[in-house]
Each structure stands twice: as structure tokens, then as C-alpha cells.
Amino acid sequence: MGTFIQLVVDGLSTGSIYAALALAIVLVNQATGLINFAQGGMAVLSAYTAYAFLQLGLPLIVAILVAVVISFLMGAVIERLLVRRFEGGDPDTAVVVTIGLLTLVTGISAVLWGYNNLAFPSLFPLTSVEILGAVVSVRSLATTVTIVAIMVVLQVLFLRTKLGLALRAVADNPGSAAFSGLPVGRLLMVGWGLAAVLGAIAGVLVAPQLTLTPGMLDTALVYALAAVILGGLSSPIGCVVAASAIGVLENLVAVYVPLIGHDLKIAVPFVLIFVILVIRPQGLFGRKVVVRV
Amino acid sequence: MPAMSSVLANKSTRVILIAVVAIALVVAPLILPAFTNQTLVRIGVYAVAVLGLNIVMGYTGQVNLGQIFFVGLGAYVTAYGVNHDWNIILVFVAACVVPGLVGLLVALAAARLGGLAIAMVTIALPIVGVPLAKRLDEFTGGSQGTSARFTDAPDWSGLYNDQWQFYIVLLVTAAAFLLGRSLVRGKYGRAFGVVRENEAVAASMGISPYRTKVLAFTVASIFGGASGFLYLAAVQYTSPETLSFGHSISLVAAMVIGGAGSIAGALIGGAYYVFVPQLTNAIDPNLTTISQGAILLVVLFLLPQGLVSLPRVVRRLFRRRTSRSSLPGNPPQNSPVHQPATDAAREGLEKTERQDRS
């Protein structure tokens, strides 16, 4: 029982990292209608930025905050200079653009910091506490709580502020939003910036565990994409639920199903996807999209 | 340009041109140094993989990020067959059929999803494939990889190994390109084009978008498997590293840079895949990834139809400069996956109706 609770809490913590990336992907998709395959790579670059400021002697929390601000600007600039040109065009082309972007940002990380693993300090103490007789690491708990808190803030931002209303308007109908006087271009930049911030937070939270390498979040990106498919592109809550479920399930399967084990646990969400695709092609929570010709 | 195309249209000129290229390709390995031969062989290997990718992505418009998985699978099947003393023809057939069947299974599920979701599912193939290859060490040799020598030149030929390998790869690559060219210019190629442009139109014409996508994906997997066979013929060794995520992304980059929806583009893509890492590795290995990303983005901005469209773009620029006033402005074309580059495919679309009636 103790191991079980520990596995569930650890699973929720990795699941929350996937959820943050998945939310960033959904955020970009809602605003610009494309899937950003570079979301993980950008998050890694943000984590490296925090590392660089750490090397300059800043305290960890300040370095992370500076990196978050820089990530926001990076996301906005990427939207303006690179993605803007391909928006509203062929979605397949836009996918290839984000793949080029993924290669580029991974390359930038590699050129500046090399391929060797770098140790990144943890924001939370590495101690553990006892809950219901199970030993649970503080880091897992704190990671989950941090990400949940950020999601609540985002939710409030989207539902209760004027900026959120404007962002939703642009996502819903860019044309009408522009007619009612909203600066669509600038709002798209804000959307990309917010997504980059989400990624940055996921990056710095997971970096101590995985150690920094340019390809650190490639696997996490695949999990996040699985969560997006399962949850449905139109449903942020669905993605979060799916991401947490994937995190917990893969942890449990890795330990309790020896045939799969730790090395093949990444196959779990995709087996799940194949099964669900046959039953519910629009995702667990997504709406069926009706396309008019 | 009219003079140029009339020369090309002349049948006897074209036959002579093809004959000259064919003779050059047959004679070349006998003259060239071993390193050049090996480089050309590797271009052939990856050109076949890029061609397969081009069929599903360039012609049918379904983003496939997992092509390297099928290349690796083909290579592993080849190694297994060779090490178990199967007939070499049987090995080749197995190296095509096994990836084809796996591709069919993946496509049956993935093609149910809309366009972008196929990309999201196929990206998992290499990421799941690497640990899977490590796990199934009975077949794959685990992390160590497995080697198989079957392309040493036989004594009667009097050839060096690199020359013998060149001929094997040349044979399979030429066959693959001829088959690929016939496929995209024929009935199925037109079906691919309609599905890419508009699935509703395809359905209304009696072409099932789902089945067409599954077909394109399966064909791509078979080409991937053939490329894996050639990979083992050329390199004689494979390991889980062969099917890593980075290589899969590189294949997509090579396809787009060469020219999506173009047979010649696949050949250029294969050359790009081999040459550019060779070049950047010589300067600084850390530069490989960043240069690839930068080149891909620059090509998408400036030459959205890939390097294969370079002559056409240059010609258009030249023409616009000479007679600027008489030409109406061309709309900007910024979609590599969207626009077929070959004129033949365009002709084909018009013919569709006539063909269906007959």
C-alpha cells in the first residue's frame, strides 16, 4: 500500500509536468490553430537560461523568474518573426515549421551548453514526508502543487480578466476580433508568450530530476502530445486529466507489469490511444468538430 | 524555357539522356575512389526512405514523423534474416513486408484521426522504438546492436566490396524510384493529390480518404523497409541508435528541403541527408543540429517547394525582371506540403474523370 501511494504521488508529479506542456500546446492551438512541436525544445532553452543566470550568481528563485520573463519574450518574438507568416496557411506546413523550430532551439542549446548532462538544483528540498504510512517525496508534492496553482491562475486570467476575454475572442474568431478593435497580432504574441512561460516552469521543475540536456523534454513532449490527443484539443481540463492519468498509469504499469517495465512504459499511453481511437475518435472530452465545405 | 521544354519533350533526346545517365551510373563506381562510392551508396539508401516519406507527406499531405522507425525495422529484419542464412531474395521481401504490415496496423488506427493528430501519433514511433529495440535483444542484439555481412563482392565479379554494394543499392534504388514515379503519376497518385487538397471532394468522387491515407502510409513504410535493407547492405551494422528521434526529424527536414511532392526532390533530400551532417561534423559536431534547423526554416521561407524548385524560381525571377509590366503578380506560394511540384501530377488531375469512365 505504501509503495502504491508513493507511486501515485510520483505519477501525479510527472503527470503535472506533462500537463503543463500539454496546456501550452492547447493554448497555442486554440490561439493559432497549429500544434507547436517545439514547445518542449523551447522549455529546455528556458531551463538552460535559468541555469545561465544561476551561474552568474543569482539565487535560484530569481534566476527562474528572470528565465520565465525571457521565455515570455522569446515566445512572443518567435510568434511574430517566424510563425506569423505561416498562420492561416496550410496546417501541415506549419507543423514542419515548428519541427524546424524544434531542431533550431535544440541546436542553440547544444551549441551554447553542449550535450553533456548538467546538474540543475531543485527548488524544493529533497526530503520526504509520511502520509498515510507512505513515504512521499516533498519534491513530487510541491511540483504538483505548483503546477496546479499555475493552472488556477491561468484559469482566472482567461475567465476573469479583460486580457483573457480578448485572448479568447481572438482564439474563437480572429476576424471578428479584429473588427471589434482588438490588436489580434499582439494578442497572438501574448498567447505564445504565455505558452512559453508554462513550458519554462515545467522545464525548471523537471530539470533537477532529468538533468539538463538539449533533448531533455523530447520524451515529455511525446507524453504531452498523447495527453492532448486523449483529452481532445479543445479541452484544457481534459488534457490535464489525461496527463495526470498517463503519469500515474505509466508509473503503476512500470512497477506492477514486469513485461512492460520502466523502459517500455512510454508505450502505455499510445496503446491507450489506439484503444480509445477505435471507440471515441474525438478524444475523451473533446467535441466532434464539424467542418463545413 | 519553351526551348528547354521542347528539347525535353523530344522523345529521342530524352531516351539518349536517360541512357547517358544510366551508363554513367554503371561506369562510375569502377572509376571513383571508394569513399565517393560509399557516399553515393548512402545517398541511395536515404533517398529511398525520403521517397517513401514524400509519398505519404508530400503527395498525400499526412505528416509522418516516424519514418525512421520503418527504416530501422527493415534493417533489423534484414540482419535477422542474414544471420539465419535465409535466401537473400527472401530477406529483401521480408524487409519490405514486415515494416509494411506494421505500417498498415499503425495507419489503420492513426488515419482515423484528423491531419495533425497523425503527426502526434507517429512522433511516438521512434521514441517507443528505441527502448523496444533494446528490450527485444534476442532479435536485435539489444543496445549493442547487430551486424550482418552479406554484401562482400563475390570472387567471380572481380569487384571491390564498395563497388558491389554500389550496384546492389543502385539496382534497388532505381527500381524504387521507377515504382514510386509510376505510383504518383497513376491512378493512386491522383487519389493522393485529391485527398491532400480536399477530403470532402475526394469522398464525393468516390475516393475514400481513410483508405487512401492508409495506403499511402503503408507504401511509405514499405519504402522505409527497403531503405533499411539497403542501410544494412551499406553499413552492415544496426543498433537502436539507427532509429533515434533525431534521425526521424532529419528525414522530414531532408524531404522538405529536397522538395515535397517531387520525385527528384527525394533524391536531393537523400543527398542533403548525407552531405550536410558530413560537412558540419567536419567543422564542429555541435553545429549539426542548429544548422539543420536553420537550413530548414530558411528553405521554408524562401523556397517553400524545396531545392528542386530552385531552377523554376530563378527562371521566374529572371522573366519578371525582363517583362515586369506585362506579368500579373504571382500569388505567393508558401506551402511545401500543399503544392505538387511535378507538372505530371497536375496533368493527371485533369485526366481523372476520363480515366474513371473508361
Side-chain angles (χ1 to χ4, degrees):
Chain A
M1 191 61 199
T3 340
F4 182 79
I5 293 177
Q6 201 179 331
L7 285 173
V8 169
V9 174
D10 284 347
L12 280 177
S13 135
T14 41
S16 64
I17 300 289
Y18 307 153
L21 269 185
L23 264 187
I25 290 168
V26 169
L27 198 64
V28 164
N29 183 267
Q30 292 280 299
T32 49
L34 52 90
I35 303 284
N36 184 9
F37 281 88
Q39 205 74 62
M42 286 162 62
V44 174
L45 195 57
S46 306
Y48 270 117
T49 313
Y51 179 82
F53 281 106
L54 205 62
Q55 297 302 96
L56 289 180
L58 289 183
L60 181 59
I61 184 75
V62 180
I64 289 178
L65 287 177
V66 173
V68 162
V69 172
I70 291 179
S71 306
F72 182 86
L73 297 176
M74 175 177 78
V77 167
I78 286 174
E79 196 281 332
R80 180 67 196 88
L81 295 184
L82 187 67
V83 182
R84 182 72 58 86
R85 193 177 151 167
F86 299 95
E87 274 163 17
D90 183 36
D92 294 343
T93 311
V95 166
V96 178
V97 170
T98 65
I99 285 169
L101 182 62
L102 168 65
T103 321
L104 188 72
V105 289
T106 309
I108 292 173
S109 305
V111 167
L112 292 180
W113 289 280
Y115 282 101
N116 295 331
N117 297 38
L118 298 175
F120 191 88
S122 175
L123 198 54
F124 308 114
L126 289 173
T127 52
S128 39
V129 290
E130 229 181 271
I131 301 173
L132 298 173
V135 185
V136 171
S137 80
V138 172
R139 186 166 74 184
S140 292
L141 274 180
T143 303
T144 316
V145 170
T146 312
I147 301 252
V148 168
I150 285 163
M151 283 169 190
V152 170
V153 169
L154 262 186
Q155 194 72 6
V156 170
L157 172 77
F158 270 92
L159 296 180
R160 299 263 178 261
T161 66
K162 214 157 185 191
L163 175 69
L165 184 68
L167 283 169
R168 281 189 292 148
V170 170
D172 195 47
N173 190 334
S176 303
F179 287 143
S180 42
L182 290 175
V184 172
R186 235 174 296 156
L187 286 168
L188 288 179
M189 288 167 74
V190 171
W192 268 76
L194 284 177
V197 165
L198 261 177
I201 290 165
V204 292
L205 283 180
V206 82
Q209 216 171 327
L210 299 177
T211 68
L212 272 176
T213 53
M216 175 178 84
L217 288 178
D218 284 353
T219 314
L221 174 79
V222 172
Y223 280 115
L225 290 171
V228 168
I229 297 174
L230 284 174
L233 266 173
S234 46
S235 162
I237 296 172
C239 286
V240 173
V241 172
S244 315
I246 288 173
V248 173
L249 193 68
E250 62 149 0
N251 245 0
L252 292 178
V253 166
V255 173
Y256 290 117
V257 185
L259 178 69
I260 293 174
H262 279 284
D263 49 342
L264 281 183
K265 64 182 183 181
I266 190 160
V268 171
F270 288 92
V271 173
L272 211 63
I273 285 178
F274 274 43
V275 173
I276 286 173
L277 273 183
V278 178
I279 308 164
R280 260 184 84 83
Q282 68 270 36
L284 283 182
F285 298 86
R287 286 182 307 256
K288 224 172 192 153
V289 180
V290 179
V291 182
R292 281 180 195 280
V293 186
Chain B
M1 184 192 166
M4 182 82 179
S5 57
S6 72
V7 169
L8 278 177
N10 191 331
K11 209 159 196 182
S12 57
T13 323
R14 203 189 294 179
V15 169
I16 291 170
L17 198 72
I18 290 172
V20 168
V21 171
I23 290 170
L25 278 173
V26 171
V27 176
L30 304 175
I31 309 163
L32 293 169
F35 180 74
T36 316
N37 279 344
Q38 283 157 0
T39 306
L40 288 173
V41 160
R42 287 182 45 225
I43 290 176
V45 171
Y46 289 110
V48 174
V50 173
L51 175 66
L53 190 58
N54 215 333
I55 287 172
V56 67
M57 215 168 141
Y59 284 96
T60 320
Q62 308 302 313
V63 179
N64 176 0
L65 303 179
Q67 178 73 351
I68 202 76
F69 176 82
F70 300 104
V71 177
L73 187 59
Y76 273 126
V77 170
T78 308
Y80 185 82
V82 168
N83 290 334
H84 285 73
D85 293 325
W86 295 359
N87 183 301
I88 194 65
I89 303 291
L90 182 69
V91 171
F92 178 70
V93 171
C96 294
V97 168
V98 174
L101 284 177
V102 175
L104 176 68
L105 275 179
V106 173
L108 282 175
R112 292 181 76 104
L113 293 157
L116 289 177
I118 295 186
M120 297 197 272
V121 171
T122 48
I123 197 176
L125 284 174
I127 298 235
V128 176
V130 172
L132 197 65
K134 284 181 185 161
R135 172 65 80 82
L136 299 172
D137 49 5
E138 264 175 65
F139 300 98
T140 64
S143 319
Q144 305 278 314
T146 175
S147 58
R149 288 177 79 84
F150 65 103
T151 49
D152 291 345
D155 289 334
W156 54 262
S157 66
L159 293 170
Y160 291 106
N161 286 347
D162 60 283
Q163 293 167 338
W164 183 250
Q165 285 165 14
F166 185 97
Y167 286 122
I168 294 176
V169 172
L170 178 65
L171 184 73
V172 178
T173 306
F177 269 78
L178 284 177
L179 282 174
R181 181 171 169 276
S182 308
L183 181 78
V184 299
R185 290 193 172 186
K187 178 176 132 192
Y188 292 110
R190 292 195 288 278
F192 292 162
V194 179
V195 168
R196 182 194 58 224
E197 291 302 329
N198 192 327
E199 291 188 15
V201 169
S204 74
M205 287 165 72
I207 298 165
S208 157
Y210 177 70
R211 264 191 239 160
T212 309
K213 286 186 215 167
V214 171
L215 177 73
F217 199 95
T218 310
V219 169
S221 318
I222 293 172
F223 276 88
S227 166
F229 174 86
L230 294 180
Y231 178 86
L232 211 72
V235 183
Q236 306 187 324
Y237 166 79
T238 182
S239 71
E241 173 60 20
T242 310
L243 45 120
S244 76
F245 177 62
H247 289 157
S248 210
I249 297 294
S250 304
L251 270 185
V252 174
M255 195 277 286
V256 173
I257 289 167
S262 157
I263 295 290
L267 205 55
I268 299 175
Y272 166 86
Y273 189 95
V274 173
F275 276 128
V276 173
Q278 231 170 43
L279 200 71
T280 50
N281 269 335
I283 304 167
D284 179 1
N286 279 346
L287 283 177
T288 310
T289 316
I290 193 170
S291 61
Q292 183 179 316
I295 293 173
L296 178 57
L297 290 176
V298 167
V299 166
L300 281 169
F301 261 94
L302 299 180
L303 276 177
Q305 292 176 38
L307 290 180
V308 76
S309 67
L310 191 60
R312 219 176 326 136
V313 169
V314 169
R315 217 154 44 209
R316 203 167 50 209
L317 277 179
F318 184 71
R319 223 181 334 157
R320 199 176 292 168
R321 197 160 295 165
T322 48
S323 59
R324 186 171 294 176
S325 55
S326 63
L327 259 171
N330 283 346
Q333 305 173 331
N334 56 354
S335 67
V337 193
H338 222 83
Q339 294 257 353
T342 48
D343 295 345
R346 236 173 264 155
E347 270 168 40
L349 280 177
E350 288 158 19
K351 274 189 213 149
T352 310
E353 212 178 13
R354 232 182 301 153
Q355 283 240 333
D356 283 354
R357 239 181 255 160
S358 61

